[in-house]
Amino acid sequence: MTVTTRKDWASDQEVRWCPGCGDYSILAAVQLLMPELGVERENTVFISGIGCAARFPYYMNTYGVHSIHGRAPAFATGLALTRPDLDIWVVTGDGDSLSIGGNHLIHALRRNINIKILMFNNQIYGLTKGQYSPTSEYGKVTKSTPFGSVLSPFNPISLALGAEGTFVARTHDMDRNHMMEMMRRAHLHKGASLIEIYQNCNVFNDGAFSEITSKDKRADNLINLVDGEPIIFGANSDKCVVLDAEQGVRVADRSSVTEDEILIHNSKRQKPAIAFALSKLASGPHEPTPIGVFRDVEQHEYSESLQHQTEDALNKKGSGTIANLLSSLPTWTVN
Amino acid sequence: MTIKHEALDRVVIRFAGDSGDGMQLTGDRFTESSALFGNDLSTFPNFPAEIRAPAGTIAGVSAFQVHISDHDILTPGDSPNVLVAMNPAALKANISDLEQGGILIVNSDSFDDRSLSKAGYETNPLTDDSLKRYSVYEIPMTSLTLEATKDTGAKPRDAERSKNFFALGLISWMYNRPYDETINWINKKYENRETVLQSNLAAYKAGHAFGETAELFASNYTVAPAHFEKGTYTNITGNHATALGVVAAGLLSGMQVLLGTYPITPASDILHELSKLKNFNVKTFQAEDEIAGVGAALGASYGGALGVTTTSGPGVDLKSETLGLAISLELPLLLIDVQRAGPSTGLPTKTEQSDLLLAMYGRHGEAPLPVVAASTPSDCFEAVIEAARIAIKYRTPVILLTDGYLANGAEPWLLPDLTKLQPIEPNFSKEFNHENKDGSKSFYPYIRDPKTLIRQMALPGTPGLEHRIGGLEKSNESGAVSYDPLNHELMVSLRAHKIEGIQDDISDAVVDDPTSDAKILLLGWGSTYGSIAAGVRRLRARDKKVAHVHLRHLNPFPKNLETILKKYETVIVPEINLGQLSKLIRSKYLIDAKSFSKVQGVPFKAVEIEKYVLNFVEEN
């Protein structure tokens, strides 16, 4: 194993995101993480679609493909099916993956193919200069919705869980350590993993997440899901999450419940019901919002299952040649 | 009554019935037994898009035409000599094609008032003299089948479904097809469904015995085996040959194959065949949509596999953006378009050649790619290998055009001499190809061979050659994103010249002009091969001189094509579209090529080609 540092993973290309963009901190987190993952640069591939986030592969000193809008999961799926030896990351945004590429995203998750999807969610179209996105809040005023958007947003975590995602997590661009921890766990997961990264677009949607990520609000509005620990938050650790017969889960004052009633987080629950309820705890990033791994379960991985079928066929029939292929047909001979 | 045995040199039989009547199966089996008997043959299945269109209606009629002969034939035949009509709708939809005096065999049980009215008959054609031009045999196939199967334990409703086997038995007797082989085939096909097996066997035997004993037929016929070149043959459809070609291309190149695809008529059979062949280094991936199918294929190509996607017209539309990406990335990709009648959903089960200009031009930007076409069902095998060879060697997407007629039609295929199949060398890079200013080394993905303009390609997993590619315009050689105007023009022209240069690496067009002094050239491509060649034979039989060129490569055209075209006074281009190749020829060579078009969802008849040329000669 070659020992590397962050520098080894950075390409020679000048990074061209707007100054102050949240993408820089995500890039730094990835470049810092890679040396510790135990993978070689040549076996690592970053694949993206279109959008600001999609420039990401150009900045990684690995193999990389900047493909077309929404289609990165499809491209990555073909690569993962034929090259299970590679470590494949998909970098996408909320428009790329939830709008034009929605179909590929849900099917990649359902298929549980071995790719890691980093979804940079800034709740806006940045590269096309500021139209509302599938995650923009209702009423959002943008260039294409001067009177306010009249659409409810997608919740990417709920969507991923609904699509049978086996690894679903959320993090944000203001917390490098948390980002790295989520990516580390995604990397350990066999199958498809999705990490939603709340990412600030300081040009077209500045402060979209400041209600929950700014230093003074974090304690009260970020709920850090940690496996095996009771879900407690608040500057004074005075709030918690409990099960609720009507809504699945709800926020409660710790003083109003017994310690036993506080929900213990467990991302390994096979059924996604509680994870889904947690994803719906906040109606948007302006009230107490969970981050962390919502779900992390084992399930048959697609390329491996397909490979097993191939190996079965090889065991039964041997490695085929063109002569075998033709001799298996019903034939007659003319002498 | 003694039954006479007559020898025929050829016969065209059409089986027609409801789409649930099993006509395709009947025709397939008759074909297979004729193939094993040694006839030359050609088939034309023609069926509706609905799996079970309303029973008894014209829309629900499914037909299978098979032409068998004791000599070399090229088409499924213009007009059937024998029509088997299982119900009034099948009669109504097909009778106009039956030759005068031809044999018409009808299932008389189905000619009740309700079925007649569903088919739109006001009077019963069996009694109103409208069929007097034909030799009509009224046979109560349903009741005879029920009678024959009553001891099999099949319920009458199920037993009735065996009537296609009665028809198969009868026609097999009429044309002296091998008896036991079909019995064995039925035994094997239905081995896990005992009642169905017994019922079908009983119906087949009853149909055969009926012909022999009913004293209805004055004669039965033999069509002797054709004289074939020595060798081993199989009977093959275009889709099956295509699937085998894909496997062969993978094995010849040593590359794993990934078929990324989405079900679509009439291409799905290629997926079905390939999904069985997992021990041939082939993986199949049924994607969530057409776009993901081609996207996965391209992703596989990026990793060093041969990415293949199969589809039909509507799917090509959806894949066009990914084709553009493949052109920009310069990665191998094989798109197989089994053309069908469009636009939009069109006629999904009917054939057409109307995607040629789509294949040529259907992408934004300057986005040229090679286009290859197959000309007969068995030719699909070699056409796929040729398309894959170009894709792999030139690192480009290639579109292979087949169509519904080739896909489902069958013919005998002399199995290829494996020693003549050339290996395909992908030539992946393993070494640095650039020295940086500081003396360090790196890999530039767009450094090209100066002659062929083929770019260097390094696969993920190759240490030290890490690089990034993408759909943004890239700097020549380094591949870094570039917005430089002159670089863009250079890259556009390099990509175009690379495709044009393939002309030096493809076979010349072959002219069929035995006396070398014909004045008229018929120029065709794709599945019109059989019809045009048969039309040419008919013309030559009338001492009309006519030449025929059939194109394998549509982009780039063969190098000698211009010289050939300019040698003839008249160039006629028959196509199952409104004149797409003729447009290309006119614009490229400034030749007054004449388009002869037919767009009815069915192939040309040989006689139509003959008549067009005769009329042309008369009028000019």
Side-chain angles (χ1 to χ4, degrees):
Chain A
M1 196 68 238
T2 323
V3 177
T4 57
T5 65
R6 172 182 178 177
K7 201 162 67 62
D8 295 310
W9 292 82
S11 76
D12 59 358
Q13 299 292 302
E14 185 192 354
V15 183
R16 292 195 193 172
W17 288 309
C18 308
C21 176
D23 290 359
Y24 284 93
S25 62
I26 305 173
L27 179 64
V30 172
Q31 289 174 342
L32 277 166
L33 176 74
M34 296 315 286
E36 63 164 84
L37 289 184
V39 290
E40 300 283 2
R41 284 191 304 113
E42 66 265 23
N43 293 329
T44 306
V45 186
F46 280 83
I47 298 168
S48 64
I50 294 294
C52 294
R55 300 299 172 99
F56 198 95
Y58 288 121
Y59 308 137
M60 293 297 297
N61 189 15
T62 63
Y63 284 90
V65 180
H66 180 213
S67 79
I68 43 178
H69 209 6
R71 316 304 172 201
F75 190 101
T77 295
L79 186 61
L81 276 173
T82 48
R83 293 291 305 274
D85 56 314
L86 300 174
D87 196 39
I88 302 171
W89 299 76
V90 169
V91 180
T92 182
D94 43 315
D96 192 54
S97 64
L98 296 174
S99 208
I100 193 166
N103 202 27
H104 308 309
L105 177 75
I106 58 175
H107 285 276
L109 294 173
R110 170 179 77 97
R111 206 171 274 133
N112 201 32
I113 184 99
N114 210 5
I115 58 177
K116 293 159 279 291
I117 303 170
L118 306 180
M119 181 199 290
F120 298 13
N121 179 9
N122 56 16
Q123 303 192 352
I124 199 78
Y125 278 81
L127 199 62
T128 50
K129 301 193 172 68
Q131 299 81 12
Y132 71 102
S133 91
T135 52
S136 296
E137 66 275 20
Y138 187 92
K140 180 84 178 169
V141 174
T142 70
K143 281 184 186 157
S144 59
T145 49
F147 306 107
S149 154
V150 288
L151 273 174
S152 295
F154 264 138
N155 176 329
I157 301 292
S158 307
L159 184 81
L161 291 168
E164 311 297 333
T166 55
F167 182 97
V168 181
R170 178 188 284 146
T171 185
H172 68 96
D173 62 4
M174 301 287 283
D175 187 343
R176 177 181 291 168
N177 286 332
H178 191 265
M179 281 193 281
M180 288 172 68
E181 176 57 17
M182 293 302 103
M183 292 168 194
R184 202 177 282 123
R185 281 197 54 185
H187 189 258
L188 288 173
H189 177 73
K190 192 167 85 180
S193 45
L194 176 104
I195 303 177
E196 178 193 18
I197 306 173
Y198 282 157
Q199 172 248 320
N200 190 46
C201 172
N202 58 320
V203 174
F204 294 107
N205 201 16
D206 196 24
F209 305 102
S210 58
E211 282 299 311
I212 60 168
T213 59
S214 63
K215 290 237 161 68
D216 55 328
K217 304 263 177 74
R218 263 186 221 181
D220 279 329
N221 279 341
L222 271 188
I223 305 175
N224 197 4
L225 303 174
V226 180
D227 272 300
E229 292 188 8
I231 306 175
I232 295 168
F233 65 102
N236 304 313
S237 298
D238 55 348
K239 295 198 186 91
C240 64
V241 173
V242 296
L243 291 176
D244 181 88
E246 288 296 321
Q247 310 165 64
V249 294
R250 69 182 160 84
V251 169
D253 285 332
R254 260 175 102 179
S255 58
S256 69
V257 299
T258 66
E259 289 296 296
D260 290 352
E261 286 176 84
I262 302 173
L263 182 63
I264 309 286
H265 184 60
N266 179 6
S267 65
K268 305 283 184 184
R269 288 186 187 100
Q270 202 64 36
K271 298 236 172 175
I274 293 175
F276 189 84
L278 284 168
S279 78
K280 287 292 184 192
L281 191 63
S283 61
H286 49 79
E287 57 183 356
T289 301
I291 60 167
V293 180
F294 286 73
R295 187 171 196 233
D296 179 7
V297 297
E298 279 186 33
Q299 208 187 79
H300 41 86
E301 192 272 326
Y302 184 77
S303 65
E304 193 176 84
S305 304
L306 199 64
Q307 187 58 33
H308 286 158
Q309 289 191 342
T310 298
E311 280 157 19
D312 281 352
L314 285 169
N315 288 337
K316 279 185 198 137
K317 299 175 186 166
S319 181
T321 63
I322 301 179
N324 298 149
L325 181 70
L326 298 181
S327 66
S328 67
L329 303 168
T331 56
W332 68 94
T333 301
V334 175
N335 294 309
Chain B
M1 186 169 97
T2 2
I3 291 168
K4 285 188 295 177
H5 296 285
E6 284 182 40
L8 299 177
D9 63 344
R10 53 181 282 269
V11 65
V12 178
I13 302 168
R14 186 183 295 177
F15 298 92
D18 233 8
S19 43
D21 278 347
M23 292 297 98
Q24 300 303 320
L25 184 74
T26 308
D28 264 340
R29 185 56 220 164
F30 187 86
T31 303
E32 197 61 36
S33 68
S34 298
L36 296 172
F37 182 68
N39 295 123
D40 196 5
L41 62 87
S42 174
T43 72
F44 178 44
N46 194 358
F47 45 87
E50 294 78 13
I51 303 299
R52 295 279 187 275
T57 62
I58 301 277
V61 173
S62 170
F64 188 104
Q65 182 163 316
V66 52
H67 184 184
I68 57 174
S69 78
D70 68 358
H71 57 279
D72 160 39
I73 50 169
L74 297 159
T75 74
D78 289 357
S79 312
N81 311 111
V82 181
L83 172 64
V84 180
M86 300 302 282
N87 67 6
L91 177 67
K92 187 154 198 187
N94 291 285
I95 189 66
S96 62
D97 291 339
L98 184 62
E99 68 167 3
Q100 289 234 10
I103 296 173
L104 170 65
I105 297 170
V106 295
N107 175 13
S108 54
D109 284 333
S110 66
F111 282 67
D112 54 42
D113 291 348
R114 194 155 164 267
S115 303
L116 287 165
S117 114
K118 265 197 196 168
Y121 278 119
E122 284 170 11
T123 59
N124 188 342
L126 301 182
T127 56
D128 67 4
D129 269 4
S130 62
L131 300 173
K132 63 183 175 198
R133 287 186 294 160
Y134 311 105
S135 307
V136 183
Y137 297 91
E138 295 178 35
I139 301 172
M141 294 193 218
T142 310
S143 40
L144 288 168
T145 300
L146 288 174
E147 178 63 23
T149 56
K150 69 177 189 299
D151 295 334
T152 62
K155 293 183 194 126
R157 219 188 115 97
D158 296 334
E160 199 223 306
R161 293 171 57 88
S162 292
K163 62 181 183 295
N164 58 326
F165 281 87
F166 184 96
L168 178 62
L170 177 64
I171 302 299
S172 297
W173 169 80
M174 278 182 76
Y175 292 95
N176 269 298
R177 299 295 96 184
Y179 182 79
D180 290 341
E181 276 165 17
T182 294
I183 297 278
N184 294 342
W185 175 83
I186 295 172
N187 272 312
K188 188 153 190 303
K189 182 165 175 71
Y190 299 101
E191 63 183 344
N192 298 321
R193 295 152 73 194
E194 184 58 24
T195 317
V196 179
L197 165 65
Q198 292 308 331
S199 174
N200 288 342
L201 269 182
Y204 174 74
K205 289 177 180 172
H208 203 274
F210 181 85
E212 214 168 325
T213 57
E215 302 200 342
L216 211 52
F217 299 96
S219 40
N220 78 348
Y221 307 91
T222 48
V223 179
H227 178 74
F228 283 105
E229 196 183 323
K230 277 184 189 175
T232 303
Y233 289 80
T234 190
N235 177 44
I236 198 141
T237 64
N239 270 349
H240 193 181
T242 300
L244 299 179
V246 168
V247 176
L251 294 171
L252 288 169
S253 61
M255 295 159 88
Q256 180 180 183
V257 171
L258 181 74
L259 174 70
T261 189
Y262 186 77
I264 186 169
T265 301
S268 305
D269 280 341
I270 305 171
L271 165 64
H272 303 161
E273 287 299 333
L274 286 172
S275 59
K276 295 180 216 160
L277 301 172
K278 297 202 189 304
N279 60 320
F280 289 88
N281 209 14
V282 172
K283 283 187 174 135
T284 55
F285 171 56
Q286 182 180 320
E288 59 270 24
D289 56 31
E290 295 279 1
I291 298 171
V294 68
L298 187 61
S301 285
Y302 171 71
L306 172 59
V308 181
T309 190
T310 48
T311 190
S312 187
V316 184
D317 293 348
L318 287 165
K319 294 177 199 292
S320 58
E321 190 189 11
T322 306
L323 290 174
L325 177 65
I327 289 167
S328 178
L329 297 179
E330 300 189 46
L331 286 176
L333 178 70
L334 175 56
L335 186 155
I336 299 170
D337 175 12
V338 186
Q339 299 165 96
R340 69 188 213 190
S344 189
T345 311
L347 300 169
T349 58
K350 309 295 177 188
T351 197
E352 210 160 274
Q353 294 185 296
S354 45
D355 295 351
L356 175 57
L357 294 182
L358 170 66
M360 284 291 294
Y361 300 122
R363 292 161 296 281
H364 73 277
E366 293 290 348
L369 55 72
V371 181
V372 174
S375 56
T376 72
S378 66
D379 181 54
C380 290
F381 179 79
E382 280 181 25
V384 172
I385 295 173
E386 172 64 357
R389 177 189 74 86
I390 296 172
I392 294 165
K393 180 170 174 186
Y394 290 87
R395 318 217 195 283
T396 175
V398 175
I399 294 182
L400 171 68
L401 295 172
T402 74
D403 61 30
Y405 171 50
L406 295 179
N408 293 315
E411 65 176 358
W413 177 36
L414 172 61
L415 297 184
D417 178 355
L418 299 186
T419 59
K420 295 206 172 127
L421 297 177
Q422 297 293 323
I424 302 170
E425 181 44 64
N427 275 319
F428 297 126
S429 299
K430 298 275 173 18
E431 309 289 335
F432 296 113
N433 60 6
H434 177 78
E435 191 169 319
N436 301 316
K437 279 180 193 152
D438 62 3
S440 63
K441 293 195 168 155
S442 60
F443 178 73
Y444 272 16
Y446 288 86
I447 288 182
R448 295 168 191 278
D449 177 277
K451 186 161 174 286
T452 60
L453 303 179
I454 297 167
R455 82 164 176 94
Q456 300 200 1
M457 179 173 169
L459 302 184
T462 316
L465 306 197
E466 297 83 12
H467 63 277
R468 276 64 56 194
I469 55 177
L472 284 169
E473 188 58 282
K474 65 270 305 157
S475 186
N476 186 33
E477 300 201 339
S478 80
V481 174
S482 166
Y483 297 95
D484 174 33
L486 291 177
N487 175 73
H488 175 54
E489 189 162 53
L490 173 67
M491 291 300 278
V492 164
S493 110
L494 284 170
R495 288 187 288 257
H497 285 138
K498 180 178 82 167
I499 303 305
E500 283 164 19
I502 296 171
Q503 207 172 48
D504 294 329
D505 191 21
I506 59 174
S507 49
D508 272 347
V510 177
V511 188
D512 172 30
D513 183 3
T515 54
S516 301
D517 60 351
K519 303 223 170 350
I520 295 175
L521 171 69
L522 292 175
L523 177 68
W525 66 280
S527 71
T528 51
Y529 172 76
S531 317
I532 296 175
V536 165
R537 281 186 189 175
R538 295 173 75 118
L539 287 159
R540 288 181 189 155
R542 291 169 170 260
D543 291 329
K544 302 289 178 203
K545 287 180 176 172
V546 56
H548 179 196
V549 167
H550 217 76
L551 294 174
R552 150 85 77 231
H553 297 98
L554 294 152
N555 193 38
F557 285 129
K559 235 179 178 171
N560 65 338
L561 185 61
E562 180 162 17
T563 318
I564 295 171
L565 295 174
K566 296 208 160 145
K567 183 172 167 251
Y568 291 89
E569 279 176 17
T570 304
V571 176
I572 296 169
V573 188
E575 290 177 273
I576 308 295
N577 60 41
L578 287 181
Q580 300 195 6
L581 175 62
S582 71
K583 278 195 182 75
L584 294 176
I585 295 293
R586 291 172 73 95
S587 71
K588 187 163 176 75
Y589 299 115
L590 299 176
I591 281 173
D592 184 19
K594 309 223 172 314
S595 169
F596 171 29
S597 82
K598 173 178 179 179
V599 199
Q600 300 170 11
V602 292
F604 281 112
K605 294 176 175 178
V607 69
E608 291 169 338
I609 303 286
E610 179 190 17
K611 279 188 182 157
Y612 183 89
V613 174
L614 290 176
N615 286 343
F616 181 83
V617 172
E618 205 163 291
E619 285 166 14
N620 288 277

